[in-house]
C-alpha cells in the first residue's frame, strides 16, 4: 500500500513539474506573442487594427471585408505564465526578405510576365517585409498562409503593371518647355524617339519607378494580411535569349545612330563657327583698308572748308613732295600743266 502511494505521489509530482514548465514561456526581443484560450484570442475592446481604414489603398468593400479586431499582444520578456489549455503564438517582427520567385506550391527560378508589346519576360528580385505588430489578428487568424497571399497579390499587381507600362519620359515627366523644344527641334525629337518604343528597354530604364509603384500599390497588405511591405527590389527583367539578342542588336543600332547624329551635329557646329570666324576676319581687313581713306577724306574736307581751294591745292602740293623724292620717274600730262 505504501509503495502504491509513493508511486502515485511520484507520478503526481512529475506531472506537476511537466505542466508547470510547459506553462512558462519567454518572448525574445524580435518576437511578439498572442495567447489563445481554446482557439480564441483576447480582443482589445473597442479597438480596430490599423491600416483597414486607409481609404487611399483600400476600397469601401475591402475595408468591410478585412475588418479585423486588435488582439492583446505580449511584448518581449518573460518568463510568462499560461494555463495548460492556452496556446502561445509567437511571430517574428524583424524585417525579412524573400525572393520574388518564392512559391511553396511549385519550384521556379523566375516569374513570367507579359509586356505591353506581347513579349514574355522573366522578372527576379526580392521584397522586404515585416509582420505588423498592430494587426497580428490578420496574420495569425485571417488567412492560412499570409505570406503566400502577399506574394500572390504582389505578383498580380506587378504583372498588371508590366502589361501596361510605358516610358513616362515620353509623356508626363518631361516639362512643357522640354516638349516644346523637342517639337521645334527636329534633332531633339529624333533623339527622343530613339529612347522609346520597346517595353523591355522602358522597363529596364525605369526600375526605380516600377519599385516605387509596387510599394505604393502594396500598402494595403498591412490591413489585408498583417504584413507590412517595406520595399520592393526588382533587379532583373530578362526576356528569352533569342529576344535578348535581337534587342541587343536594336540597341546597338540605335546607339550607333545616336553617335552618328552627335558627330554630324558637332561637325556642323564646327563649320558654322569657322565660317563666322572667316566672315569676321574679312570684315576687319576691309575696315582696316577703308579707315585711312576715310580719315584722309575727312582731313581734305576740313582743309577745304577752313582754308578754301587754294589751301587745299597747297596741301596737296606739299603732300606730293615726299612722293616725288621716292618716285624714280614722273609722268606729267598736258592737262595737269595747264
Amino acid at each position: 500500500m505504501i509503495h502504491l502511494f509513493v508511486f502515485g505521489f511520484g507520478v503526481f509530482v512529475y506531472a506537476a513539474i511537466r505542466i508547470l514548465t510547459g506553462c512558462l514561456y519567454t518572448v525574445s526581443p524580435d518576437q511578439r506573442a498572442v495567447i489563445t484560450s481554446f482557439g480564441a484570442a483576447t480582443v482589445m475592446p473597442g479597438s480596430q487594427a490599423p491600416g483597414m481604414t486607409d481609404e487611399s489603398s483600400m476600397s469601401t468593400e475591402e475595408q468591410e471585408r478585412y475588418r479585423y479586431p486588435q488582439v492583446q499582444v505580449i511584448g518581449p520578456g518573460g518568463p510568462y505564465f499560461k494555463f495548460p489549455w492556452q496556446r502561445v503564438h509567437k511571430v517574428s517582427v524583424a524585417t525579412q526578405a524573400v525572393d520574388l520567385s518564392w512559391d511553396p506550391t511549385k519550384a521556379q527560378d523566375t516569374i513570367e510576365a507579359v509586356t505591353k508589346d506581347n513579349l514574355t519576360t522573366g522578372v527576379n528580385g526580392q521584397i522586404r517585409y515585416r509582420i505588423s505588430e498592430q494587426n497580428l489578428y490578420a496574420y495569425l487568424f485571417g488567412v492560412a498562409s499570409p505570406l503566400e497571399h502577399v506574394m500572390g497579390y504582389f505578383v498580380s499587381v506587378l504583372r498588371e503593371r508590366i502589361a501596361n507600362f510605358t516610358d513616362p519620359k515620353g509623356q508626363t515627366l518631361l516639362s512643357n518647355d522640354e516638349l516644346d523644344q523637342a517639337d521645334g527641334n527636329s534633332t531633339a525629337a529624333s533623339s527622343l524617339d530613339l529612347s522609346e518604343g520597346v517595353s523591355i528597354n522602358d522597363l529596364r530604364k525605369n526600375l526605380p519607378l516600377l519599385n516605387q509603384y509596387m510599394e505604393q500599390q502594396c500598402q494595403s497588405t498591412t490591413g489585408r494580411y498583417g504584413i507590412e511591405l517595406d520595399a520592393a527590389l526588382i533587379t532583373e527583367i530578362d526576356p528569352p535569349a533569342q529576344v535578348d539578342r535581337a534587342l541587343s542588336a536594336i540597341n546597338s543600332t540605335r546607339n550607333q545612330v545616336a553617335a552618328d547624329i552627335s558627330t554630324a551635329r558637332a561637325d556642323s557646329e564646327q563649320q558654322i563657327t569657322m565660317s563666322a570666324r572667316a566672315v569676321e576676319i574679312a570684315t576687319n581687313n576691309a575696315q582696316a583698308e577703308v579707315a585711312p581713306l576715310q580719315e584722309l577724306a575727312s582731313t581734305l574736307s576740313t582743309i577745304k572748308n577752313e582754308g578754301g581751294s587754294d589751301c587745299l591745292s597747297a596741301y596737296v602740293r606739299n603732300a606730293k613732295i615726299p612722293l616725288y623724292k621716292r618716285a624714280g620717274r614722273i609722268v606729267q600730262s598736258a592737262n595737269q600743266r595747264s
Side-chain angles (χ1 to χ4, degrees), residues 71-283:
V71 296
Q72 183 179 13
V73 178
I74 300 175
Y80 297 108
F81 178 80
K82 72 176 184 64
F83 293 105
W85 57 85
Q86 291 181 322
R87 181 183 174 188
V88 180
H89 302 268
K90 296 181 182 179
V91 296
S92 174
V93 294
T95 301
Q96 305 175 59
V98 61
D99 289 338
L100 203 61
S101 58
W102 178 81
D103 190 340
T105 62
K106 59 182 178 181
Q108 57 183 0
D109 297 328
T110 184
I111 63 170
E112 294 184 349
V114 181
T115 62
K116 187 176 182 180
D117 45 9
N118 200 26
L119 177 64
T120 301
T121 183
V123 182
N124 276 324
Q126 287 185 332
I127 62 172
R128 199 166 56 213
Y129 69 96
R130 57 177 172 268
I131 299 172
S132 175
E133 181 180 349
Q134 289 74 29
N135 198 13
L136 285 181
Y137 187 96
Y139 180 78
L140 292 174
F141 314 113
V143 293
S145 180
L147 182 57
E148 187 177 351
H149 280 72
V150 168
M151 292 300 298
Y153 179 77
F154 183 90
V155 172
S156 299
V157 175
L158 177 62
R159 284 173 171 162
E160 185 274 338
R161 181 56 175 167
I162 289 177
N164 298 284
F165 188 86
T166 56
D167 189 0
K169 292 182 180 179
Q171 297 181 6
T172 57
L173 291 187
L174 283 179
S175 63
N176 294 330
D177 295 338
E178 290 173 326
L179 291 174
D180 294 339
Q181 184 178 1
D183 292 338
N185 190 339
S186 59
T187 305
S190 301
S191 301
L192 184 64
D193 293 337
L194 288 173
S195 63
E196 299 176 354
V198 182
S199 296
I200 291 292
N201 291 337
D202 295 342
L203 288 167
R204 285 174 170 173
K205 288 187 301 182
N206 296 280
L207 278 181
L209 288 178
L210 184 61
N211 286 326
Q212 182 181 0
Y213 174 83
M214 294 306 301
E215 293 173 8
Q216 294 174 352
Q217 293 299 314
C218 293
Q219 288 179 352
S220 62
T221 57
T222 304
R224 291 171 181 264
Y225 312 114
I227 294 180
E228 180 179 353
L229 183 64
D230 183 63
L233 305 172
I234 300 171
T235 55
E236 297 179 7
I237 297 180
D238 296 324
Q242 295 179 351
V243 177
D244 195 19
R245 287 194 293 271
L247 289 175
S248 298
I250 293 173
N251 291 334
S252 299
T253 303
R254 290 184 170 181
N255 292 335
Q256 183 62 41
V257 171
D260 292 343
I261 291 175
S262 299
T263 302
R265 185 187 304 172
D267 291 342
S268 62
E269 292 178 353
Q270 183 178 5
Q271 292 295 331
I272 293 173
T273 303
M274 293 177 62
S275 299
R277 184 63 177 170
V279 170
E280 183 180 358
I281 292 173
T283 303

Side-chain angles (χ1 to χ4, degrees), residues 46-92:
S47 62
Q48 183 175 341
M52 293 183 297
T53 58
D54 188 358
E55 297 180 356
S56 61
S57 59
M58 298 179 67
S59 63
T60 305
E61 187 270 337
E62 289 174 332
Q63 292 177 30
E64 293 296 330
R65 185 194 310 169
Y66 298 105
R67 185 178 296 276
Y68 297 119
Q70 190 167 12
V71 296
Q72 183 179 13
V73 178
I74 300 175
Y80 297 108
F81 178 80
K82 72 176 184 64
F83 293 105
W85 57 85
Q86 291 181 322
R87 181 183 174 188
V88 180
H89 302 268
K90 296 181 182 179
V91 296
S92 174

